């Protein structure tokens, strides 16, 4: 693992690191903020999974998570959203597939199955790496994400019961297997048999019996993707049927951007912080 | 004036606007955050002048000023750092001169004097424009800046006594007329006669009798430009001789980046906020 950069921020360290990923078969970069408390003891870890087109950098630059994470003593990790590199198959003109659009799944279809294994990367490989290299208490993890990353956070948490103390999302893609902007990617990554898609769809995982203790979602009412791409009501229905307590905050006038995320990131940090206490 | 974008953020609006600048003889873009309080009454305005290579966008994305500005009811304007456009003379390979490096002065030398008139733009044209178009109380203005923008904030405030209620800077260029990274720009913009440079140099303006009521500066000790480019001790000496109360906070381990600025922006916002009260 190589340190690309490390800067003092709010008394802690905002680092950017590169490592060789076995899951993705390429070099991967992630951002990790370690709060000042990590100088004294192992600290809990919050995952932030980003949305389409993003790298680790978007939320690192615009998420405004460090002030409160430093105060609460929480580390925040911001992974990339796909494998990267010249050898990774891609559709450069398509922002909804390929690089920047890994959808947090393990592709089964060639040629994508060689690199697009973000589910394994996020849930298995990267936790092991950071647990070994940083002062993290890996028994205290929580996960959140935005848009495609909200989908990633919820599906990964559903498939790994007990792993994360808490799960939240900003404007998550509730049902990617039926949304126009994600269906083509699912077919290319996973094949035409839609039964294989269920394991990467929050609403269908819940339908299939996977459970979360509770869920926090913030969604802007002025989000241009709300009605076609995101559809929180589908998640609301699934949670309701499954008796999963869902806090869905519809935020009047907010859009899909980091201006929305940064406005409400403190609420999510406090919510996770309460559940990450020893 | 044209609205490029407007997003709800912390209950207010983060906008980006384009207008035809007479001073700079080109289209100019600026960012303006209006706090929620502006829906009820005219609000005070804090200027944030950015550093070399920046546009309006760097601090808008990474400055983390909106949360507290919204709470304190302060508008924050983030102008560009130079004229822009294909017709503007430039040295594209030189990040210390031309576009992104206007140094907040009015150039007198051809061909730069046609566009590079950032002193007039920031102190005269832009205040008039935003005062006419937004719910701003222009009798309550303060100014701050980073690096080249710290130089800009202090020199503009010194030359306009009484205009700004308060002045602060992050890692300002204390004496640009003698620093290696700014001398060549000063010569190209202002000519070889160094006496003409004094009006754009904080320390020399103070030597020449210009005054501020007080000054707040934060400076990281791990800033790679500290010893050669920034040299806060020169400003400290000038303020000391002139009896200008200077609060110079040397911040252990912080660098020159927005990770440094965002860590201490709340301190500056509170300091300005106290002085911007009715």
């Amino acid at each position: 693992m190589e340190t690309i950069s490390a800067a003092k921020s709010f008394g802690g360290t905002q680092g950017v690191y590169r490592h060789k990923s076995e899951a993705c078969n390429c070099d991967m970069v992630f951002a990790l903020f370690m709060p000042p408390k990590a100088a004294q003891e192992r600290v809990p870890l919050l995952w932030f999974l980003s949305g389409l087109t993003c790298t680790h950098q978007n939320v690192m630059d615009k998420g405004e998570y460090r002030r409160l994470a430093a105060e609460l003593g929480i580390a925040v990790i911001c992974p990339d959203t796909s494998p990267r590199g010249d050898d990774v198959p891609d559709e450069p003109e398509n922002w909804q597939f390929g690089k920047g659009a890994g959808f947090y799944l393990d592709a089964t279809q060639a040629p994508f199955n060689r690199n697009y294994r973000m589910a394994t990367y996020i849930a298995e490989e990267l936790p092991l790496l950071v647990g070994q290299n940083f002062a993290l208490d890996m028994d205290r993890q929580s996960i959140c994400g935005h848009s495609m990353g909200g989908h990633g956070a919820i599906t990964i948490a559903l498939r790994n019961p007990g792993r994360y103390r808490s799960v939240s999302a900003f404007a998550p893609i509730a049902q990617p297997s039926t949304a126009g902007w994600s269906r083509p990617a699912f077919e290319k990554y996973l094949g035409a048999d839609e039964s294989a898609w269920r394991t990467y769809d929050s609403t269908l995982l819940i339908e299939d019996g996977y459970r979360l203790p509770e869920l926090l979602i913030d969604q802007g009412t002025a989000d241009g993707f709300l009605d076609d791409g995101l559809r929180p009501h589908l998640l609301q229905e699934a949670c309701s049927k499954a008796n999963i307590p869902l806090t869905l905050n519809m935020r009047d006038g907010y859009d899909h951007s980091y201006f929305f995320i940064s406005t409400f990131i403190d609420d999510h940090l406090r919510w996770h912080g309460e559940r990450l206490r020893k």
Side-chain angles (χ1 to χ4, degrees), chain A:
Chain A
M1 200 186 68
E2 170 197 359
T3 301
I4 296 174
S5 64
K8 191 168 178 181
S9 180
F10 291 96
T13 303
Q14 178 63 66
V16 179
Y17 307 92
R18 183 187 291 119
H19 69 110
K20 175 80 196 158
S21 165
E22 287 192 27
C24 296
N25 203 16
C26 65
D27 280 358
M28 291 292 281
V29 172
F30 64 92
L32 175 63
F33 175 69
M34 294 296 287
K37 200 179 185 184
Q40 280 91 49
E41 58 181 77
R42 289 184 176 268
V43 295
L45 178 63
L46 175 65
W47 294 78
F48 187 100
L49 305 188
S50 294
L52 286 165
T53 76
C54 289
T55 68
H56 68 282
Q57 195 173 349
N58 302 67
V59 66
M60 181 180 83
D61 285 351
K62 300 191 271 192
E64 305 193 17
Y65 56 78
R66 281 174 292 271
R67 184 187 53 82
L68 190 55
E71 185 184 317
L72 297 173
I74 300 172
V76 180
I77 186 166
C78 309
D80 204 344
T81 59
S82 77
R84 300 282 175 179
D86 294 341
D87 297 336
V88 172
D90 190 23
E91 295 180 6
E93 303 303 308
N94 184 357
W95 63 278
Q96 298 169 349
F97 180 74
K99 291 182 194 172
F103 277 96
Y104 303 99
L105 50 74
D106 284 352
T108 55
Q109 306 299 298
F112 308 110
N113 56 351
R114 191 171 173 272
N115 305 104
Y116 287 85
R117 300 185 64 236
M118 291 298 290
T120 295
Y121 177 68
I122 297 293
E124 307 302 333
E125 183 178 16
L126 193 50
L128 203 64
L129 181 80
V130 296
Q132 287 168 345
N133 285 280
F134 297 92
L136 297 169
D137 177 358
M138 298 304 279
D139 291 331
R140 290 187 288 154
Q141 296 182 65
S142 291
I143 193 164
C144 70
H146 172 231
S147 194
M148 177 183 73
H151 141 76
I154 299 168
T155 54
I156 288 172
L158 282 165
R159 288 197 311 276
N160 293 276
R163 166 83 66 93
Y164 306 97
R165 297 261 186 112
S166 45
V167 188
S168 79
F170 298 89
I173 302 177
Q175 195 174 81
S177 67
T178 62
W181 62 353
S182 39
R183 274 187 64 83
F186 271 48
E187 183 160 359
K188 278 180 261 195
Y189 288 136
L190 301 171
D193 175 8
E194 294 190 27
S195 67
W197 303 8
R198 300 183 72 85
T199 190
Y200 302 114
D201 186 302
S202 300
T203 58
L204 302 182
L205 280 167
I206 293 171
E207 201 175 293
D208 291 347
Y210 291 82
R211 291 292 178 266
L212 294 174
E214 57 185 334
L215 181 57
L216 169 66
I217 291 178
D218 275 78
Q219 170 66 57
T221 63
D223 186 324
F225 302 110
L226 178 55
D227 293 335
D228 292 330
L230 304 172
R231 301 178 296 173
H233 63 93
L234 296 176
L235 202 45
Q236 202 169 24
E237 288 160 20
C239 286
S240 172
K241 277 188 199 165
N243 290 315
I244 297 173
L246 167 66
T247 304
L248 173 59
N249 299 312
M250 296 302 292
R251 300 299 190 179
D252 185 51
Y254 285 88
D255 66 16
H256 198 64
S257 74
Y258 282 92
F259 296 120
F260 158 63
I261 298 172
S262 58
T263 299
F264 299 104
I265 192 85
D266 279 12
D267 295 349
H268 286 238
L269 282 163
R270 288 191 198 284
W271 193 80
H272 291 293
E274 284 167 15
R275 287 150 182 83
L276 286 167
R277 287 198 190 118
K278 267 182 195 166

